[in-house]
Amino acid sequence: MVCIAERRRPREPRPTRKPGALETAGARLLRRWEAAGLPTVFVERDLALERADSVGAAAGEPSLLRAEAPSLLRDAGFLRLFEGLGGPLLILLGDALGDLALETAIDGFLAGHPIIVVKDASPSPLDGEEESAGALPLLSCFARLMGAEELAREWTGVD
């Protein structure tokens, strides 16, 4: 699973607030995914993060990667990691499911990689309104859309 953070995370603590539905579903899915020992890669745009390695991700430890291309499938570092994990399936979970997710879904579709987009979860807190819903009709042309609970049941075997 690839968790895409499209925006810079705040450095200051947020005021206490009730988590939104997307954030709650994302946290639950990530906990179940991690408990099942499945690989997770966190991708953030324009942040100086260490390069991910396939050994850590394959061992079930989350890895961090900085996106350097408009699509993950055009990023040499991500491709090495993806190949090390065995591909060809790519599961995308994103804050806004914006350009990076869309470009990756299109490239995956054209390359014959099956792509799943988690339509109702976010890996990190969102500010204001959830933006994912606007991208879903277009993403559905290039990827299979799944709910967080459906994905967790199918892949982790836990209800």
Side-chain angles (χ1 to χ4, degrees), residues 84-98:
L85 293 174
L89 175 67
L90 187 58
I91 300 172
L92 302 175
L93 168 71
D95 287 351
L97 296 177

Side-chain angles (χ1 to χ4, degrees), residues 107-153:
D107 284 350
F109 177 80
L110 294 174
H113 292 295
I115 305 285
I116 295 174
V117 173
V118 183
K119 64 183 178 181
D120 61 353
S122 172
S124 60
L126 297 171
D127 294 320
E129 289 297 311
E130 283 32 330
E131 301 170 16
S132 301
L136 291 178
L138 187 54
L139 277 166
S140 70
C141 296
F142 304 102
R144 177 180 173 198
L145 301 180
M146 290 183 78
E149 286 300 314
E150 176 188 12
L151 182 72
R153 270 193 312 275

Side-chain angles (χ1 to χ4, degrees), residues 12-20 23 125:
E12 297 299 317
R14 292 176 182 254
T16 304
R17 64 172 178 75
K18 183 178 178 181
E23 184 181 342

Side-chain angles (χ1 to χ4, degrees), residues 49-126:
L49 298 172
E50 64 185 69
R51 275 272 173 207
D53 61 46
S54 58
V55 175
E61 299 171 12
S63 296
L64 300 174
L65 182 72
R66 179 176 174 226
E68 296 178 350
S71 163
L72 292 175
L73 295 173
R74 290 184 226 162
D75 183 281
F78 180 79
L79 284 175
R80 283 191 299 275
L81 174 65
F82 187 52
E83 289 169 4
L85 293 174
L89 175 67
L90 187 58
I91 300 172
L92 302 175
L93 168 71
D95 287 351
L97 296 177
D99 295 340
L100 184 60
L102 181 59
E103 293 279 340
T104 301
I106 292 170
D107 284 350
F109 177 80
L110 294 174
H113 292 295
I115 305 285
I116 295 174
V117 173
V118 183
K119 64 183 178 181
D120 61 353
S122 172
S124 60
L126 297 171

Side-chain angles (χ1 to χ4, degrees), residues 20-66:
L22 294 182
E23 184 181 342
T24 301
R28 189 174 329 132
L29 176 60
L30 289 172
R31 279 193 306 271
R32 289 169 69 177
W33 202 261
E34 184 178 81
L38 297 168
T40 306
V41 178
F42 288 90
V43 175
E44 297 191 12
R45 280 189 167 264
D46 304 321
L47 298 178
L49 298 172
E50 64 185 69
R51 275 272 173 207
D53 61 46
S54 58
V55 175
E61 299 171 12
S63 296
L64 300 174
L65 182 72
R66 179 176 174 226

